[in-house]
Amino acid sequence: MTESVSNPIVRMAKVNKHFGSLHVLKDIDLQVKPGEVVVVIGASGSGKSTLIRCINGLEEFQEGHIEVDGNELLPDGRSSKALQRIRTEVGMVFQQFNLFPHLSVLDNVTLAPMKVRGWNRADAVKTGERLLDRVGISDQAIKYPSQLSGGQQQRVALARALAMEPRLMLFDEPTSALDPEMIGEVLDAMRELAREGMTMIIVTHEMGFAREVADRVIFIHQGQILEEAPPADLFDNPRHERTQSFLSRVLKH
């Protein structure tokens, strides 16, 4: 990716997060530029998901500063107006699909643009159909989530997030709930987004995918960013012994 002179779309400075006595994030400093794909790796419980959930206000933090596209989130949830703006500009895809079971695939995708952005139904449907085609499931538009495979449901969730025309996409282990044969179709849709220049922060255990699509890989251990580097550097020549130990375990599988 060519070096961007744009201001970072995400700035995190000395962010600390506690769950009671548990110190989950420790002095997190992170900047993400527009168009950059950042992949976050680390062991279960290391703070990866908490980090990205703080970016769109799904988790509150106690110390530090987070700014998303010029909107500042304050500690302890003291930023409701900024949070509302961030929620309209940041799309998120979770481990679970969280689709409305009583709505068709197309209605799942069009609901938020109509309710939140005030689009008329014709415009929302036109955009929804285009996005379903973009993620490869335009033929499933009138079906209900229960009639789809897990991979198809996750691609509906991706189309739904894209329907809000986000400036930033967050992915929290989007393939971890899928059967192995369905993982590839979701990763393919994410690869296409990366090629189109979408700014993305991705928490994943898919190391081959991380190596392929990331501009930068971040390794988190016990709530701290221990190492960050381009994927070739981090995977082939990790500097920190914790990174080395983690990769030696996960790359064996």
Side-chain angles (χ1 to χ4, degrees):
M1 195 181 84
T2 57
E3 186 69 20
S4 172
V5 296
S6 302
N7 291 326
I9 193 169
V10 175
R11 299 178 191 262
M12 304 180 76
K14 296 290 181 277
V15 172
N16 285 268
K17 164 71 179 174
H18 301 264
F19 287 120
S21 61
L22 187 62
H23 197 171
V24 184
L25 296 179
K26 303 171 183 175
D27 288 334
I28 295 292
D29 290 320
L30 175 66
Q31 295 191 1
V32 179
K33 297 176 181 178
E36 190 175 17
V37 178
V38 174
V39 173
V40 184
I41 64 172
S44 296
S46 59
K48 308 183 301 295
S49 294
T50 302
L51 185 153
I52 64 168
R53 288 171 67 88
C54 284
I55 291 173
N56 68 349
L58 289 176
E59 295 285 357
E60 295 179 0
F61 60 101
Q62 283 71 52
E63 300 169 28
H65 299 278
I66 298 177
E67 187 177 298
V68 182
D69 202 20
N71 300 297
E72 185 175 9
L73 287 172
L74 301 176
D76 299 315
R78 295 182 286 109
S79 44
S80 59
K81 288 185 179 179
L83 179 57
Q84 292 171 8
R85 291 193 295 270
I86 288 169
R87 290 270 176 84
T88 64
E89 296 180 14
V90 178
M92 187 158 183
V93 177
F94 301 87
Q95 297 177 36
Q96 302 299 328
F97 321 123
N98 299 324
L99 301 175
F100 293 109
H102 63 290
L103 296 180
S104 71
V105 164
L106 183 58
D107 286 343
N108 264 281
V109 174
T110 59
L111 181 65
M114 293 167 62
K115 294 288 188 181
V116 178
R117 292 204 182 275
W119 292 10
N120 63 53
R121 178 162 179 80
D123 288 341
V125 166
K126 183 177 180 180
T127 297
E129 290 174 341
R130 175 177 56 81
L131 290 172
L132 291 174
D133 183 63
R134 184 175 175 184
V135 300
I137 50 171
S138 57
D139 58 335
Q140 309 295 322
I142 64 172
K143 291 185 178 179
Y144 289 87
S146 63
Q147 298 173 287
L148 305 184
S149 70
Q152 290 171 327
Q153 289 187 60
Q154 191 61 297
R155 284 185 283 164
V156 175
L158 176 55
R160 179 181 59 183
L162 293 173
M164 289 292 288
E165 300 183 334
R167 298 253 297 140
L168 167 68
M169 283 291 296
L170 307 176
F171 295 86
D172 186 5
E173 299 190 19
T175 61
S176 64
L178 299 177
D179 294 332
E181 64 269 20
M182 297 176 184
I183 290 173
E185 60 193 56
V186 174
L187 295 181
D188 283 345
M190 294 169 64
R191 285 186 184 95
E192 186 62 29
L193 274 186
R195 283 193 290 266
E196 293 171 1
M198 174 63 74
T199 311
M200 301 161 70
I201 305 176
I202 305 166
V203 172
T204 185
H205 291 293
E206 301 291 335
M207 297 300 151
F209 174 75
R211 181 189 286 270
E212 178 186 348
V213 306
D215 295 299
R216 184 161 38 117
V217 178
I218 291 172
F219 173 66
I220 292 186
H221 177 71
Q222 294 182 353
Q224 293 179 293
I225 295 178
L226 290 191
E227 190 165 350
E228 57 181 299
D233 294 342
L234 190 134
F235 287 116
D236 296 337
N237 189 30
R239 298 190 311 273
H240 199 286
E241 62 178 341
R242 293 287 187 184
T243 317
Q244 296 167 11
S245 174
F246 172 77
L247 290 175
S248 70
R249 291 196 309 273
V250 300
L251 294 179
K252 286 190 300 186
H253 302 294

